[in-house]
């Protein structure tokens, strides 16, 4: 049982296991028409690309197992490029497992390995490696922006840019190799300055993609919004109130130390990590003197700080340590205080000011992203980033070699190596490597 055994028919549950109204089972293989007919006890080749109600029969006992909606997608116009049968059966898991069991017992089909459907799609040129990774990434996205950026990559946005850069590398290589094929007197020479300029342009393009890694990491991990203020000003109450009124909470994360608590929520399509710095310090001096190391680190890491105070003094006390940060000042407990300044004023007692607070956070988030527009263009992952970085390092050292007047044969040779390395980002030659490091990490049924 191996990913490279693409002649095997494979089956997996495509929906999450557990209680639900429908389960979807997917089968991929080279010739599934007959199998479809056996499962449904029909006599004709199934009509592709439609969904139709069928009785489902066990291949082992011949008994009725369920009534479901079945579709047939014919090679090559299917997700994997092979024939695909999709069975929508009643949910809950029992029926789906019974169907998968009889398929496997019949020996006509075996269980799919993790990511094996996507691997076949990749092998049959239905998707490139970046698109395959993006499909897997989209499934785990936790915010609108993460979802949209993954979708852009499934549609080929990043691949397109990667291929444009690849073309420039190939063109440069062709020019140099073309020259090598001719006698010195026969052609016009491209000089070292011109070659270096072309390489510098390629480096710039690669940089424009790899610079998006920082943004990509933030999209995945979420923007950090830190609640800060003296003890007892109402931070935790505001924190809990925000989680309570926000209906799109994704998950709670236990604090990594007793100093902080983190929760994930979505605001305006963005993943936000809301952090309550429940530090037990007595004075600001304590934070400044690194007494509360974790809170100091959190201030450093925070993209936005919600600075809470009951009066002006509570706020000014923090001026120094939040310098250069994006700060939303919040005056708390307005049910018992009459705040005289222009800061946002709220109360957890009567819920005043919370929609304004959410709007301010969203404005801060939008500012964060729009300030870095060029660096927010592409969603890239660590693997892609490392390849891009490595290629640029190699190109930069090639520039040095050119300055030292290396032989053009050697230059062509080195460029070939860089091109091969670069190609790993979208179409690597080593299948075993991508199976072990990429596809086997995907979920089963993908
Ligand atoms: P933290 O130490 O800054 O996290 O503050 P807490 O959220 O624990 O609140 C400290 C005290 O202030 C608690 O007794 C809360 O009940 C109270 N408190 C919090 N928010 C409000 C508010 O909006 N109005 C009033 N009147 N009391 C509040």
């Amino acid at each position: 049982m191996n990913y490279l055994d693409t002649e095997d028919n494979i089956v997996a549950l495509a929906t999450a296991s557990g209680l639900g109204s429908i389960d979807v089972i997917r089968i991929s293989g080279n010739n599934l028409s007959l199998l479809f007919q056996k499962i449904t006890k029909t006599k004709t080749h199934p009509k592709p690309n439609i969904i139709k109600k069928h009785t489902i029969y066990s291949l082992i006992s011949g008994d009725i197992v369920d009534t479901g909606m079945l579709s047939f997608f014919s090679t090559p116009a299917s997700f994997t490029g092979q024939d695909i049968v999709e069975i929508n059966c009643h949910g809950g898991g029992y029926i789906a497992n019974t169907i998968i069991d009889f398929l496997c017992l019949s020996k006509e089909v075996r269980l799919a390995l993790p990511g094996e459907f996507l691997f076949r799609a990749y092998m049959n040129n239905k998707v490139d490696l970046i698109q395959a990774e993006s499909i897997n990434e989209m499934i785990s996205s936790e915010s609108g922006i993460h979802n949209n950026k993954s979708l852009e990559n499934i549609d080929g946005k990043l691949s397109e840019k990667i291929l444009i850069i690849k073309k420039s590398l190939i063109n440069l290589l062709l020019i140099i190799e073309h020259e090598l094929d001719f006698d010195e007197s026969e052609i016009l020479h491209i000089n070292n300055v011109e070659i270096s300029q072309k390489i510098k342009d390629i480096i710039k393009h690669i940089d424009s993609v790899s610079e998006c890694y920082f943004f990509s990491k933030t999209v995945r991990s979420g923007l950090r919004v830190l609640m800060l203020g003296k003890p007892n000003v109402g931070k935790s109450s505001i924190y809990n109130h925000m989680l309570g009124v926000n209906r799109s909470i994704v998950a709670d994360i236990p604090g990594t130390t007793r100093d902080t608590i983190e929760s994930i929520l979505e605001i305006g399509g963005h993943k936000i990590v809301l952090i309550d710095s429940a530090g037990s310090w007595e004075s600001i001096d304590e934070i400044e003197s690194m007494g509360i190391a974790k809170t100091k680190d959190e201030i450093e890491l925070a993209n936005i700080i919600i600075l809470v105070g009951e009066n002006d003094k509570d706020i000014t006390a923090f001026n120094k340590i939040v310098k250069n940060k994006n700060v939303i000042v919040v005056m708390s407990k307005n049910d018992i205080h009459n705040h005289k300044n222009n800061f946002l004023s709220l109360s957890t007692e009567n819920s005043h000011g919370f929609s304004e607070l959410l709007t301010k956070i969203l404005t801060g988030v939008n500012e964060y992203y729009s300030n870095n527009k060029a660096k927010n263009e592409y969603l890239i992952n660590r693997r892609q980033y490392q390849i891009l970085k490595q290629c640029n390092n190699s190109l930069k050292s090639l520039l040095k070699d050119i300055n030292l007047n290396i032989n053009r044969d050697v230059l062509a040779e080195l460029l070939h190596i860089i091109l091969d390395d670069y190609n790993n980002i979208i179409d690597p030659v080593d299948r075993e490597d991508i199976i072990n490091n990429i596809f086997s990490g995907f979920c089963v049924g993908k």
Side-chain angles (χ1 to χ4, degrees), residues 4 119 122-123 427-436 439:
L4 296 169
F119 180 71
Y122 170 72
M123 291 295 278
D427 187 22
V429 180
D430 188 343
R431 302 281 179 235
E432 291 290 342
D433 187 53
I434 54 166
I435 288 169
N436 293 335
F439 288 97

Side-chain angles (χ1 to χ4, degrees), residues 228-240 276-279 308 310 332-337 346-351 354:
L228 188 68
K230 284 182 176 173
N232 286 321
V233 290
K235 296 182 301 297
S236 300
S237 305
I238 296 170
Y239 179 90
N240 290 330
D276 188 8
S277 60
V308 186
E310 288 185 62
S332 61
K333 309 185 188 179
N334 76 7
D335 55 302
I336 52 168
H337 299 306
L346 53 67
S347 162
T348 53
E349 286 294 309
N350 54 28
S351 297
F354 275 88

